[in-house]
Amino acid sequence: MAQTGVQLASIDEQKSLTHEQQQDIRISVASQGRSKPIPDLLNGTSKENMKIAIPLYEASIRGDWKAAKEILDKRPELVRYSVTGNNETALHVAASTKSTKQAEQFVENLMTKMEKEDLELKNNSSNTALCLAAAVGNVKMVELMVKKCRALVAITGSGGMTPLYMAALFGHSEVVKYLYKNSDKLYDDYWTPQNRGWLLQKCVENDMFDIALDILREHEELSSSGIVLAALARKTDAFAEIKSNIIMRTIKWVICTKMQAHEKESKAKALEILKTIWCYIAEKPREEIDTILRGPPDPPVKRYEKPAFDKIDEALQLLKLISDNIVNIPVEIRNIIKGPVARNLEGLAGNVRKKYSSRVLFVATEVGNTRFVVELIRLYPDLAWKVNDNNQSIFHVAARHRQADIYNLLHEIGLNKDMITPLKDLNEDNMLHLVARSVERKRLEDVSGGAFQMQRELLWFKEVEKMVLPSYRERKNKDGLTPREIFTKEHQDLVVKAFTVPGGYDQTNGIPFFRRNVSFLIFVVADAISLFSSSASILTFLSILTSRYAEDDFLESLPRKLMLGLATLYLSITTMMIAFSVTFFVLYREHLKWIPILITVIATTPVLLFAALQYRLLKDVIHSTYGSSYLFRSNNHLYNAKSNSNYRCFPFRIPFISRCTSKIFKLL
């Protein structure tokens, strides 16, 4: 038998529940806790407080059972006495500490000296020791207390919240699982659809999807909760499909198989929760579906412009001076005197347009929850045509927030996209206007450098430009700006990031501040040489890779290219290090001059390293190319008696040097 759906209100954990909400919880009188701890220790003499209350408190904080036992053996009744100004017993204090073996053993030993009723004592904040342990997440202490007194599960604490709700509020999943098992699946008298819904909401918000799914299966009426659907809309990670290459998948499989399996299971349950709720909602009438997806309206904000009221007040005073019988003036004349501003303000209260900023579908679109959006549209295709308060579709919002996966759904709806892209918002911005505006910084964090960020923004602009109708590409909005003008205006900072100089630019004329500085001029020249030489080096090595590798090429063509490539690469590295080092001389020209000097010394390392590593290669190439032609020639060894080692080398060295010189000049 189908159960009636219940629309749940949200709970603010920062505020106490109202009287009506506390009545809805319907906690039985027997479960409210017996009383508060006895405050005699704190109300007694300071000497008694120093000897008993403070040592017992310190022992509870440290988990020192030996010290506490000495006190409690003499006075066993102190287990129900308060030891703090907030009227907390030793069990309250121990339950709120960090969970350690020593603390858990302390609680276990302490409860052997306590009756069940002693565990129900509340502090001044109306919290039992179980409430504190649940809020902190001490699952072992929670188990010990519930085993001794199961009635604690039903006793509410501060704000009328149960220990189970407190654990869910702070995201302690293990505590929530244990308390949920001991709460009779929320069928006890103190559970209502209202507080069940609050618990379900917190479980979803804190990624406890397994418990949330169990609650939904037991209480089907909670499936109509738009609040839970809104919480799922923001859970991008719960529905994300991360695609990794085979290497990363292998590493994850070897290192974190268990963690990956848990993550996969959690995502599957989140998807099942979404399908369960959405299938339940999709069967409702269209009006109810729209109401649930729209969410609650924003609280009204009254914004009146003071100058307008001042003018109206002055006008009314003037009218009173003109005529004592102003009320007898005909309505038409009175409206003319007041003007359009006053008439508009008179009807302002009755014509305030409600705004719904928490529309589920658009919230999911903004954060990029693609799977969520797809699942909703599959069962309810009309959602693709819905617009928000600003008359923007989900595709407009996706383009504005650079959510590519959701925007790409536009390609899947066929010719219908031509009916969506022309939509204009209240500012008469079409989709191209929206994508022309700069996106929030966090959406560009995955792109390195200003140049690539500018490239990404241009790709988006060009993509949407192809999508919209040609007549809309030059349309102006209410501000009189075309999409291209908006793009240029809002992306100036990225253009500046693409190329910067030390010290920055003068914002009024774009001229560098340090243009007259000698170090700055060296930076400009070195930076230019580095750019040109690195480009030449890349092109040279590229020509080697794409060479024919014919037999004759190995004689001179390829060696020459290799020499040129190595030389330009060395020049590029050298000038790049010079430009890098000079930058610090520009910045630290007044003080801390040892910093640029130290950096310059360090910057010479790659230059010297390249020279040391590639010197032999360059020497061999030069010798092989320009010295090999003199290997085969007559040295007059047979008929020249004056032949010696120096003479034998002379015919080779002189022509070799002259030949090298001529070749170098040809290259230059």
Side-chain angles (χ1 to χ4, degrees):
M1 180 177 179
Q3 293 176 297
T4 305
V6 178
Q7 185 64 30
L8 302 173
S10 61
I11 181 173
D12 187 353
E13 55 269 12
Q14 302 296 330
K15 300 179 181 178
S16 299
L17 299 181
T18 63
H19 176 71
E20 291 77 8
Q21 289 173 331
Q22 293 183 10
Q23 290 297 323
D24 288 340
I25 295 177
R26 295 201 299 270
I27 305 295
S28 62
V29 177
S31 66
Q32 290 298 323
R34 188 186 64 180
S35 62
K36 292 184 179 295
I38 303 173
D40 290 0
L41 284 178
L42 299 178
N43 295 338
T45 63
S46 58
K47 184 177 180 180
E48 184 180 18
N49 187 22
M50 291 287 291
K51 285 185 176 181
I52 301 176
I54 294 179
L56 184 57
Y57 169 80
E58 292 178 348
S60 303
I61 283 286
R62 298 193 307 268
D64 187 356
W65 174 244
K66 183 178 180 180
K69 186 174 183 298
E70 291 181 0
I71 299 173
L72 296 176
D73 284 344
K74 297 177 182 178
R75 297 186 59 181
E77 72 279 4
L78 294 182
V79 294
R80 61 186 66 92
Y81 278 59
S82 63
V83 294
T84 68
N86 196 35
N87 219 18
E88 294 171 326
T89 65
L91 184 61
H92 281 92
V93 175
S96 59
T97 60
K98 185 178 180 181
S99 182
T100 61
K101 285 288 184 181
Q102 187 175 357
E104 293 167 2
Q105 190 65 41
F106 180 91
V107 171
E108 186 174 6
N109 293 330
L110 180 62
M111 287 195 301
T112 59
K113 295 181 174 293
M114 302 177 72
E115 301 295 333
K116 290 184 179 181
E117 293 78 7
D118 298 334
L119 272 67
E120 298 178 4
L121 297 175
K122 293 185 176 183
N123 60 13
N124 288 344
S125 302
S126 301
N127 289 319
T128 63
L130 179 64
C131 290
L132 299 181
V136 175
N138 292 335
V139 61
K140 182 63 176 179
M141 296 182 186
V142 169
E143 292 175 359
L144 292 171
M145 294 180 195
V146 174
K147 286 179 181 178
K148 186 173 182 69
C149 181
R150 192 178 181 280
L152 288 173
V153 178
I155 300 177
T156 58
S158 177
M161 294 183 286
T162 62
L164 175 55
Y165 181 84
M166 289 184 180
L169 178 64
F170 290 98
H172 302 306
S173 58
E174 295 301 321
V175 178
V176 173
K177 289 179 182 179
Y178 180 80
L179 291 177
Y180 178 71
K181 291 179 181 178
N182 287 273
S183 297
D184 195 21
K185 296 184 178 180
L186 312 184
Y187 281 112
D188 291 342
D189 293 337
Y190 51 87
W191 286 106
T192 66
Q194 193 83 336
N195 50 38
R196 288 190 194 111
W198 293 335
L199 177 62
L200 175 63
Q201 177 187 350
K202 293 305 170 185
C203 288
V204 171
E205 289 178 354
N206 290 294
D207 297 340
M208 292 179 280
F209 300 116
D210 50 349
I211 304 171
L213 189 58
D214 289 341
I215 296 174
L216 274 179
R217 288 169 178 170
E218 289 292 333
H219 305 279
E220 187 180 339
E221 75 277 5
L222 300 179
S223 299
S224 62
S225 173
I227 295 175
V228 177
L229 197 64
L232 286 171
R234 298 184 181 276
K235 292 292 177 181
T236 307
D237 295 337
F239 301 98
E241 296 180 358
I242 302 175
K243 298 180 180 179
S244 55
N245 54 43
I246 187 171
I247 298 176
M248 293 303 299
R249 288 198 300 268
T250 304
I251 294 175
K252 289 181 178 179
W253 182 80
V254 173
I255 297 178
C256 50
T257 305
K258 186 175 180 180
M259 184 182 300
Q260 191 176 11
H262 175 73
E263 182 181 357
K264 187 176 181 180
E265 182 182 0
S266 178
K267 290 183 178 181
K269 290 184 177 179
L271 183 59
E272 187 175 351
I273 292 173
L274 173 60
K275 290 181 177 180
T276 301
I277 293 177
W278 185 232
C279 289
Y280 189 92
I281 294 176
E283 295 177 356
K284 294 180 175 294
R286 182 185 297 269
E287 293 76 13
E288 289 189 37
I289 296 176
D290 292 342
T291 301
I292 292 173
L293 293 179
R294 187 169 57 238
D298 297 344
V301 179
K302 296 182 180 180
R303 296 179 180 177
Y304 300 121
E305 296 182 1
K306 191 175 185 300
F309 275 108
D310 291 343
K311 291 179 181 179
I312 294 171
D313 292 340
E314 292 174 0
L316 291 176
Q317 292 175 6
L318 180 60
L319 287 174
K320 288 180 180 180
L321 292 174
I322 294 175
S323 175
D324 293 331
N325 299 319
I326 188 171
V327 292
N328 297 324
I329 297 177
V331 176
E332 292 80 3
I333 299 177
R334 191 160 63 242
N335 288 339
I336 293 174
I337 295 174
K338 288 183 178 181
V341 175
R343 291 197 301 272
N344 291 337
L345 287 175
E346 286 177 355
L348 187 62
N351 296 323
V352 175
R353 182 181 178 183
K354 293 183 178 180
K355 292 186 177 181
Y356 299 86
S357 60
S358 58
R359 295 174 184 265
V360 172
L361 189 65
F362 292 91
V363 169
T365 302
E366 287 182 15
V367 299
N369 199 342
T370 308
R371 189 67 180 272
F372 182 94
V373 174
V374 169
E375 290 296 331
L376 263 61
I377 294 179
R378 279 178 180 172
L379 284 181
Y380 196 43
D382 289 347
L383 290 179
W385 301 91
K386 296 293 182 181
V387 294
N388 59 12
D389 293 328
N390 204 22
N391 200 44
Q392 298 171 348
S393 70
I394 60 172
F395 304 105
H396 289 72
V397 175
R400 177 68 184 88
H401 293 276
R402 309 300 192 266
Q403 301 295 350
D405 291 337
I406 297 178
Y407 171 82
N408 288 334
L409 298 177
L410 193 60
H411 295 281
E412 302 179 23
I413 62 176
L415 295 177
N416 291 329
K417 68 177 185 293
D418 293 333
M419 302 178 66
I420 294 178
T421 53
L423 287 176
K424 295 187 294 184
D425 62 15
L426 300 182
N427 194 44
E428 295 189 5
D429 286 333
N430 58 38
M431 188 179 289
L432 194 57
H433 284 97
L434 295 176
V435 81
R437 301 187 184 279
S438 59
V439 72
E440 56 269 21
R441 185 177 297 274
K442 65 180 181 180
R443 292 299 303 156
L444 295 175
E445 289 179 351
D446 59 336
V447 183
S448 302
F452 292 107
Q453 291 175 359
M454 186 66 176
Q455 180 195 41
R456 177 68 61 85
E457 290 290 271
L458 278 170
L459 288 173
W460 266 101
F461 187 82
K462 292 296 183 182
E463 164 61 25
V464 177
E465 189 177 39
K466 292 186 296 184
M467 188 67 67
V468 301
L469 299 175
S471 59
Y472 281 77
R473 296 171 186 171
E474 298 299 327
R475 290 280 181 93
K476 294 184 178 181
N477 59 10
K478 281 188 176 181
D479 299 325
L481 297 175
T482 64
R484 175 59 71 173
E485 291 172 342
I486 294 176
F487 186 91
T488 303
K489 179 181 179 181
E490 298 213 1
H491 290 82
Q492 291 178 352
D493 57 333
L494 288 182
V495 176
V496 173
K497 287 181 182 179
F499 181 77
T500 57
V501 296
Y505 301 91
D506 188 343
Q507 297 299 320
T508 57
N509 52 26
I511 299 176
F513 287 114
F514 298 139
R515 62 187 182 278
R516 301 184 185 279
N517 192 294
V518 176
S519 300
F520 180 80
L521 296 177
I522 296 175
F523 164 80
V524 173
V525 174
D527 194 49
I529 295 175
S530 176
L531 174 64
F532 300 146
S533 57
S534 62
S535 301
S537 175
I538 292 173
L539 293 175
T540 303
F541 285 116
L542 184 62
S543 67
I544 294 176
L545 291 175
T546 58
S547 177
R548 301 175 304 165
Y549 290 100
E551 294 177 356
D552 293 339
D553 290 343
F554 287 91
L555 188 60
E556 287 192 1
S557 176
L558 290 177
R560 286 176 182 174
K561 291 179 180 179
L562 182 58
M563 283 188 294
L564 179 61
L566 289 173
T568 52
L569 180 59
Y570 181 75
L571 179 61
S572 173
I573 294 175
T574 304
T575 51
M576 180 178 64
M577 291 298 104
I578 292 174
F580 175 76
S581 302
V582 168
T583 301
F584 291 91
F585 280 98
V586 175
L587 298 178
Y588 295 94
R589 66 188 188 282
E590 300 294 340
H591 56 280
L592 298 177
K593 292 186 178 180
W594 63 270
I595 293 179
I597 294 174
L598 176 62
I599 292 175
T600 302
V601 173
I602 298 174
T604 58
T605 303
V607 178
L608 298 176
L609 185 63
F610 181 87
L613 294 176
Q614 304 300 328
Y615 167 73
R616 183 173 295 276
L617 174 62
L618 185 61
K619 176 184 176 183
D620 291 342
V621 172
I622 295 175
H623 178 75
S624 176
T625 304
Y626 301 114
S628 58
S629 59
Y630 299 97
L631 290 176
F632 309 103
R633 58 173 296 163
S634 175
N635 289 322
N636 298 321
H637 287 178
L638 294 177
Y639 303 104
N640 191 348
K642 297 181 180 181
S643 173
N644 53 53
S645 59
N646 291 333
Y647 181 78
R648 285 196 302 269
C649 295
F650 183 79
F652 165 74
R653 289 181 177 177
I654 296 300
F656 169 67
I657 295 174
S658 62
R659 183 73 179 273
C660 287
T661 305
S662 63
K663 292 293 184 181
I664 290 173
F665 277 112
K666 286 182 180 180
L667 291 174
L668 295 176

